[in-house]
Amino acid sequence: MTLLISVAFVIVNELVPEMARPVPHLVLDGVLALSFLVLAVRYASLWIGAVMLLQGVQFSLHAYFFVTKLVPGRTYAIVNNLVTWGTLLGILLGTLAVLRATRAARSAPALPR
């Protein structure tokens, strides 16, 4: 989902005039945050919950700049990039943890009945 939303951001940035981009950006951030919410509720996973919260921060950042009509500058770029990298790192670490737990469960001997 993250990859699809990233591609959608690139498409929006290429096809939509700069003044009209905030609304599609908000929609895309909202869709990604909601997809993480669905996954967090479905799997009751702390790492997906953390990623969902980071995506909520991303949505809030875009909403704040949209509502206040501020021009994004250096602070916006830093926060935007840190949250994006935090989200990607959370997905990577969570995926590695799940893979490790799955391997450990497969290699564990079966308990006698």
Side-chain angles (χ1 to χ4, degrees), residues 32-53:
L32 188 55
L34 285 174
S35 68
F36 286 139
L37 174 63
V38 169
L39 290 173
V41 170
R42 169 69 173 93
Y43 295 105
S45 171
L46 289 176
W47 69 270
I48 295 176
V51 168
M52 178 200 63
L53 289 174

Side-chain angles (χ1 to χ4, degrees), residues 7-97:
V7 170
F9 264 101
V10 170
I11 292 169
V12 165
N13 289 339
E14 291 298 320
L15 299 179
V16 177
E18 189 170 347
M19 295 303 294
R21 288 180 192 164
V23 172
H25 284 180
L26 280 174
V27 170
L28 291 172
D29 279 336
V31 167
L32 188 55
L34 285 174
S35 68
F36 286 139
L37 174 63
V38 169
L39 290 173
V41 170
R42 169 69 173 93
Y43 295 105
S45 171
L46 289 176
W47 69 270
I48 295 176
V51 168
M52 178 200 63
L53 289 174
L54 283 171
Q55 190 57 41
V57 169
Q58 186 90 329
F59 179 80
S60 299
L61 175 71
H62 285 133
Y64 176 76
F65 275 82
F66 176 69
V67 170
T68 60
K69 300 198 185 317
L70 290 174
V71 177
R74 179 174 284 167
T75 303
Y76 174 88
I78 291 170
V79 173
N80 187 42
N81 290 335
L82 285 175
V83 170
T84 299
W85 281 106
T87 301
L88 293 174
L89 183 64
I91 291 170
L92 175 67
L93 294 177
T95 302
L96 292 175

